[in-house]
């Protein structure tokens, strides 16, 4: 492998307008040593041939104020080229292509450890892996997981990680990039809240099927990204650092459950009827949509608890329904929806008046 060399050049021109270059008499002192006040240091090194076998021009770089600086970058070029073994000419050619392209785009050399990891894992040196590409690879490798977990990963990737981060290079992902994603999600949450509070049904219809992303969901999104990046670190050594692991999010707080007291019921009913009237005005006197008004009228809390009297009233109304026994069981014994729907006859003992809960149904994608 060519070792390369460093040299000094002068950018001054003679009377004919030609650069003096290395022939400038002021580059050296009378004693023969270099004149540190004149000229600029450069280095030059031969690169491997192009993929079609043609000789490639030498790599020349200048602008260094000292010979040590020029020697340091030259040593980095040598280290990059030495990553390919003697029997790997194609890899050396790829490294040379990468050096030329990276210098042209960024004016800096490729990161040595990044190139080393790509060579070890057999990745194309001239192609950057994007976040979206790696997340697709992550999903393909996660074979032994529950279907509900897979659906969760797919949803986080499709709705948030790919749209906000997908086009970024995997090895250039920063903590600030992830923080900006969550800021944009919070901004959209504000948009949803504003449109839902509008008395105009057409405005609310624009966010009809969009729910604000809760803090708990944001933590889950970050967990998915953190898991995918950890895989890139452990299995393929594509990263040295996981930015998702150090990002701070607000603490998860469960919504405080409130009881439907008489005052709260009265206030909610008043707001509900006001929304119906506003709908009627927007529709030019035509009747509003009671279901839309019902779902869009804010509750005192996301979690509202019935009083015993309200529960009794519901069960009285539900007696004629074919699933009345199921509703009564849930109301009086606190089963989850999936547990109640998954209950099988062999787990019911009518003589002993007992049931055994040992599995549940899971809803996937509707």
């Amino acid at each position: 492998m060519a070792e390369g060399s460093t040299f000094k050049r002068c950018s001054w021109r003679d009377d004919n307008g030609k650069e003096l270059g290395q022939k400038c008499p002021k580059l050296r002192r009378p004693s023969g040593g270099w004149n540190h006040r004149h000229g600029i240091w450069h280095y030059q090194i031969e690169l491997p041939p192009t993929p079609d076998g043609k000789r490639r021009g030498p790599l020349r770089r200048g602008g260094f104020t000292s010979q040590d600086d020029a020697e340091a970058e030259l040593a980095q070029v040598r280290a990059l080229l030495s990553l390919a073994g003697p029997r790997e000419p194609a890899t050396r050619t790829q490294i040379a292509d990468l050096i030329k392209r990276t210098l042209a785009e960024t004016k800096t050399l490729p990161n040595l450890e990044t190139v080393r990891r790509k060579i070890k894992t057999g990745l194309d040196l001239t192609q950057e892996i994007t976040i979206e590409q790696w997340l697709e690879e992550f999903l393909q490798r996660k074979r032994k997981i529950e279907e509900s977990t897979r659906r969760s990963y797919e949803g986080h990737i499709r709705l948030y990680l790919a749209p906000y981060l997908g086009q970024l290079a995997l090895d250039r992902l920063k903590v600030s990039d992830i923080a900006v994603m969550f800021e944009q999600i919070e901004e959209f949450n504000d948009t949803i809240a504003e449109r839902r509070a509008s008395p105009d049904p057409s405005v609310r219809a624009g966010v009809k099927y969009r729910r604000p992303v809760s803090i708990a969901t944001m933590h889950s999104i970050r967990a998915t990204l953190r898991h995918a990046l950890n895989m890139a670190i452990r299995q393929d050594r594509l990263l040295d650092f996981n930015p998702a692991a150090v990002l701070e999010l607000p603490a998860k707080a469960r919504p405080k459950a409130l009881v439907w007291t008489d005052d709260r019921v009265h206030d909610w009913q008043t707001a509900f009827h006001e929304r119906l009237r506003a709908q009627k005005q927007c529709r030019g006197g035509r009747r509003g949509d009671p279901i839309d008004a019902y779902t869009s009228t804010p509750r005192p809390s996301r979690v509202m608890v019935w009083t015993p009297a309200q529960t009794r009233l519901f069960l009285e109304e539900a007696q004629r329904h074919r699933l009345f026994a199921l509703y009564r069981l849930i109301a009086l014994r606190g089963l989850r929806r999936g547990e109640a729907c998954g209950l099988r006859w062999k787990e019911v003992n009518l003589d002993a008046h007992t049931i055994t809960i040992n599995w549940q149904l899971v809803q996937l994608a509707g």
Side-chain angles (χ1 to χ4, degrees):
M1 182 180 72
E3 292 298 318
S5 61
T6 57
F7 56 93
K8 215 173 189 186
R9 285 180 59 88
C10 172
S11 59
W12 288 9
R13 299 179 182 273
D14 57 19
D15 296 338
N16 297 322
K18 185 178 180 180
E19 277 193 6
L20 297 176
Q22 294 176 268
K23 297 179 180 179
C24 178
K26 294 185 179 181
L27 288 178
R28 291 187 179 272
R29 298 176 182 274
S31 60
W34 291 108
N35 181 1
H36 69 278
R37 295 183 178 180
H38 195 82
I40 299 174
W41 281 100
H42 296 67
Y43 71 81
Q44 173 177 308
I45 185 171
E46 292 291 332
L47 292 178
T50 60
D52 56 5
K54 293 182 179 180
R55 184 178 180 277
R56 196 192 306 258
L59 173 66
R60 294 188 182 94
R61 288 265 290 165
F64 302 97
T65 57
S66 69
Q67 187 175 16
D68 289 342
D69 292 341
E71 287 283 2
E73 185 164 307
L74 177 60
Q76 187 177 350
V77 176
R78 293 194 197 105
L80 285 166
L81 294 173
S82 67
L83 292 176
R87 298 181 180 180
E88 299 175 315
T91 302
R92 290 197 66 207
T93 299
Q94 279 194 7
I95 294 174
D97 291 340
L98 180 64
I99 290 173
K100 295 284 285 185
R101 192 193 72 181
T102 306
L103 284 174
E105 293 177 354
T106 67
K107 308 301 182 185
T108 59
L109 290 172
N111 181 271
L112 182 66
E113 291 305 315
T114 300
V115 178
R116 190 195 310 275
R117 286 195 295 266
K118 287 186 176 182
I119 292 174
K120 285 184 177 181
T121 53
L123 297 173
D124 187 347
L125 302 185
T126 60
Q127 181 179 3
E128 288 185 334
I129 303 176
T130 65
I131 299 294
E132 185 171 12
Q133 289 171 335
W134 176 251
L135 291 174
E136 291 176 359
E137 176 69 16
F138 162 73
L139 281 178
Q140 291 177 2
R141 296 188 186 185
K142 298 298 291 185
R143 297 178 180 177
K144 298 180 180 180
I145 58 174
E146 295 289 340
E147 186 61 26
S148 57
T149 303
R150 179 176 298 280
R151 293 279 185 169
S152 177
Y153 288 160
E154 289 174 347
H156 295 160
I157 292 171
R158 183 182 72 257
L159 297 176
Y160 308 107
L161 298 176
Y164 289 107
L165 303 175
Q167 300 307 311
L168 298 178
L170 176 64
D171 57 355
R172 297 182 188 176
L173 181 65
K174 304 186 293 295
V175 178
S176 59
D177 297 326
I178 307 173
V180 169
M181 175 186 70
F182 285 113
E183 290 174 2
Q184 292 174 328
I185 291 174
E186 290 178 345
E187 289 176 2
F188 190 66
N189 282 350
D190 295 338
T191 301
I192 293 175
E194 291 174 2
R195 293 183 179 180
R196 283 189 172 181
S198 172
D200 188 347
S202 62
V203 175
R204 293 199 303 277
V207 292
K208 184 175 182 179
Y209 299 105
R210 300 302 300 268
R211 293 190 302 174
V213 181
S214 66
I215 294 298
T217 301
M218 291 186 192
H219 278 267
S220 298
I221 295 169
R222 188 190 66 162
T224 299
L225 179 61
R226 183 177 64 232
H227 185 29
L229 297 181
N230 279 338
M231 181 181 287
I233 294 173
R234 291 194 305 266
Q235 295 187 7
D236 290 18
R237 298 183 180 179
L238 297 175
L239 298 172
D240 294 320
F241 166 71
N242 190 335
V246 299
L247 176 73
E248 293 188 3
L249 288 175
K252 291 186 284 187
R254 291 187 176 182
K256 183 178 180 180
L258 297 178
V259 176
W260 274 117
T261 61
D262 292 341
D263 290 340
R264 289 174 180 147
V265 171
H266 178 269
D267 291 343
W268 182 86
Q269 288 178 338
T270 301
F272 168 68
H273 290 297
E274 288 177 354
R275 190 168 289 272
L276 273 178
R277 285 194 294 270
Q279 281 190 1
K280 191 173 182 179
Q281 290 178 355
C282 289
R283 296 186 177 194
R286 291 184 292 112
R287 181 174 179 269
D289 184 351
I291 300 299
D292 178 71
Y294 178 86
T295 57
S296 61
T297 302
R299 272 70 171 164
S301 170
R302 287 178 56 196
V303 179
M304 297 302 298
V305 181
W306 286 347
T307 63
Q310 292 163 346
T311 304
R312 183 173 61 252
L313 178 62
F314 167 78
L315 292 177
E316 289 175 354
E317 292 293 328
Q319 282 184 357
R320 296 182 296 275
H321 197 279
R322 66 182 184 87
L323 296 179
F324 170 69
L326 184 71
Y327 298 148
R328 179 180 172 86
L329 181 64
I330 293 174
L332 300 184
R333 290 296 179 264
L335 273 69
R336 296 183 176 90
R337 180 180 59 174
E339 293 170 342
C341 294
L343 189 62
R344 296 172 291 186
W345 277 113
K346 64 182 180 180
E347 294 155 348
V348 178
N349 189 329
L350 296 178
D351 295 331
H353 303 100
T354 61
I355 59 174
T356 302
I357 305 299
N358 55 23
W359 80 316
Q360 63 178 332
L361 297 183
V362 178
Q363 183 177 4
L364 296 176

